Amino acid sequence: MLALGKSLTKALAARTLAPQVCSSFATGPRQYDGTFYEFRTYCIKPSKMNEFLENVKKNIHLQTAHSELVGSWSVEFGGRIDKVFHIWKYDNFAQQTEVRKALANDKEWREQLLIPILGLTDKQESEITYLVPWCKLEKPPKEGVYELVTFQMKPGGPALWGDAFRRAINAHVDLGYSKLVGVFHTEYGALNRVHVLWWNASADSRAAGRHQSHEDPRVVAAVRESVNYLVSQQNMLLIPTSYPPLE
């Protein structure tokens, strides 16, 4: 009986501790808001960029009648050129499903926007992302340029690298040379990937701010901690198209 009593006590203790152990391995602050953002990238055929932009500008209203376009940019520097980048916002996956159904039945959208786009692009890429819980989507104060920085982090999720990453981002924000628009964590696509979208008044002001940050001991310390969890990093300088809601 004594042995049975000890076993029962251990089992109860293990059951009590189990939720605490599981929570310590959670992927970070939970995403209670169902809102997500689709990162849609269009790789345009060489010499077709202007035609693509003109067509989308003329007919984008056929799609924004169904879903919200957060922003639209073309790639100026970093990676492949002749690339257009859109961010679309959805309240939840049910809404996205309804939007897709509505567009599939929209003859005008198919004929004036979809089919011409397919003829002008080499390929399209899509990622589904959430805003991280400690960041909200901000609008820029005026026209400018944007930098999209993509961080591929080590497997383990925000439970492993989230705090250090947040401190590194906030260290740059505190300097004030660039405005943080949003921080997005990938849900579908390459996992453990974070996209950080910044606004700058110009490419030159961005460069000057970066030089300043490299000499700031708070930024240097925060970045040194965060890079322990970094696999790779890439950035692009983005120019708003002529139909940019963020502007």
Side-chain angles (χ1 to χ4, degrees):
M1 288 293 293
L2 182 59
L4 180 60
K6 289 182 177 179
S7 298
L8 181 60
T9 300
K10 289 180 179 179
L12 291 173
R15 182 177 296 180
T16 302
L17 289 174
Q20 299 174 6
V21 173
C22 289
S23 66
S24 68
F25 287 94
T27 57
R30 285 172 172 77
Q31 179 70 41
Y32 291 109
D33 185 2
T35 301
F36 66 87
Y37 300 83
E38 181 185 10
F39 281 36
R40 174 79 61 158
T41 303
Y42 303 86
C43 297
I44 315 303
K45 292 180 180 179
S47 79
K48 297 296 185 179
M49 187 65 159
N50 289 338
E51 187 177 350
F52 177 93
L53 292 174
E54 286 300 319
N55 179 273
V56 175
K57 179 182 178 181
K58 180 180 178 181
N59 297 299
I60 193 66
H61 67 279
L62 298 173
Q63 186 153 346
T64 55
H66 299 280
S67 55
E68 180 181 348
L69 178 63
V70 174
S72 173
W73 303 265
S74 61
V75 176
E76 183 75 3
F77 303 126
R80 172 176 171 162
I81 58 174
D82 295 326
K83 184 185 291 186
V84 174
F85 175 65
H86 289 173
I87 299 179
W88 294 90
K89 179 181 178 181
Y90 296 94
D91 295 334
N92 47 50
F93 287 102
Q95 187 215 358
Q96 188 199 38
T97 299
E98 291 303 314
V99 168
R100 291 176 69 88
K101 289 180 180 178
L103 290 174
N105 294 318
D106 189 331
K107 181 180 179 181
E108 189 178 11
W109 172 81
R110 292 198 310 271
E111 294 181 351
Q112 297 187 26
L113 187 59
L114 176 62
I115 293 175
I117 280 180
L118 293 178
L120 299 171
T121 56
D122 284 331
K123 67 176 181 177
Q124 296 183 40
E125 298 176 352
S126 175
E127 287 182 286
I128 300 299
T129 72
Y130 288 109
L131 273 175
V132 297
W134 45 269
C135 174
K136 63 179 181 178
L137 192 65
E138 299 284 357
K139 288 192 174 183
K142 58 181 180 179
E143 292 184 4
V145 299
Y146 295 77
E147 180 186 12
L148 182 68
V149 189
T150 299
F151 301 86
Q152 186 62 50
M153 309 301 290
K154 291 182 178 179
L160 176 66
W161 42 258
D163 289 341
F165 186 85
R166 180 179 182 178
R167 285 192 287 271
I169 296 300
N170 286 338
H172 285 283
V173 170
D174 290 343
L175 284 185
Y177 71 89
S178 183
K179 182 176 179 62
L180 180 63
V181 177
V183 180
F184 305 84
H185 185 206
T186 299
E187 178 74 6
Y188 288 100
L191 300 181
N192 296 291
R193 176 177 289 178
V194 185
H195 299 286
V196 183
L197 185 61
W198 301 91
W199 171 90
N200 293 275
S202 67
D204 287 325
S205 68
R206 180 261 178 199
R210 291 289 294 174
H211 291 316
Q212 177 187 354
S213 70
H214 293 163
E215 299 175 357
D216 190 290
R218 296 164 298 178
V219 174
V220 172
V223 169
R224 280 179 177 171
E225 179 188 12
S226 181
V227 296
N228 290 322
Y229 308 102
L230 183 65
V231 176
S232 63
Q233 179 180 347
Q234 183 178 356
N235 70 339
M236 297 186 295
L237 184 70
L238 305 175
I239 305 298
T241 64
S242 58
Y243 49 96
L246 270 176
E247 295 290 349

